[in-house]
Amino acid sequence: YIAGLTRKELGGSAYYAQLGVQGGQVPHVDFQNGPKLLRAVSRAVREGLAASAHDCSEGGLGVAAAEMAFAGGLGLTLDLTRVPSTVPVPGTPVLREDFILFSESASRILLEVSPENAPALEKKLAGFPLQKIGTFEAGGVFRVLGLDGKPVVETTARALRQAWEEPFKGW
């Protein structure tokens, strides 16, 4: 599950830095609703409704999902069409696939939730943007399905972990 809205907020992001892009919309903090969402998520985690939680700040949803998958030694399939985002015209995605994966919008939490806890989590977070966007799986395959339903990323959690650890080698 992901709690919170994804917006086209990549200004100052790790993604834009990698591409050498300057400018863009920096993440906006919603001081009214953000703390309410985070408190509700915190209560849900304390009550055991989520096995783990990860913010989607530095690197966005893509990095948070990869870190959760390789930390647990699991595979993961994400469906980008299910990620709650700001939509200018109902039924029309506002974001490109890379923006959905790497936006650093504030107050978004990725949650690992067992199927038996899903109804209680949905009830606990009713009124907030919340959507089941994927599943953790045995086998270690890390797959992201794009807006057309076809894989835009297909690798392994192990390969992602190796890439993540590479800069730390030799320290």
Side-chain angles (χ1 to χ4, degrees):
Y1 281 81
I2 189 166
L5 283 176
T6 300
R7 296 178 177 86
K8 185 181 175 184
E9 296 178 322
L10 291 111
S13 69
Y15 179 62
Y16 271 10
Q18 281 291 100
L19 297 176
V21 176
Q22 294 183 352
Q25 180 68 38
V26 297
H28 167 76
V29 177
D30 181 344
F31 290 105
Q32 182 176 352
N33 296 313
K36 292 176 187 175
L37 170 64
L38 297 176
R39 282 192 294 274
V41 167
S42 180
R43 282 191 299 273
V45 170
R46 278 195 313 272
E47 291 173 17
L49 299 179
S52 64
H54 196 310
D55 69 293
C56 297
S57 57
E58 188 174 9
L61 168 62
V63 172
E67 290 175 349
M68 287 179 80
F70 66 64
L74 297 170
L76 175 65
T77 298
L78 290 178
D79 181 349
L80 297 184
T81 66
R82 300 185 58 80
V83 175
S85 62
T86 54
V87 182
V89 177
T92 305
V94 67
L95 302 176
R96 299 183 336 206
E97 293 159 342
D98 56 340
F99 291 177
I100 295 169
L101 279 171
F102 302 115
S103 169
E104 295 182 357
S105 296
S107 303
R108 291 178 309 140
I109 305 292
L110 191 58
L111 300 161
E112 178 187 1
V113 180
S114 66
E116 60 270 10
N117 285 340
L121 177 84
E122 290 173 6
K123 184 176 180 181
K124 174 70 73 181
L125 297 181
F128 294 106
L130 177 73
Q131 185 65 47
K132 180 180 178 186
I133 61 170
T135 55
F136 285 104
E137 304 161 3
V141 173
F142 184 92
R143 181 179 300 110
V144 177
L145 303 176
L147 298 175
D148 62 0
K150 296 178 184 173
V152 292
V153 175
E154 194 153 7
T155 187
T156 65
R158 181 182 178 134
L160 292 170
R161 182 178 194 107
Q162 288 172 339
W164 183 79
E165 291 175 341
E166 186 64 32
F168 301 109
K169 289 185 178 175
W171 276 26

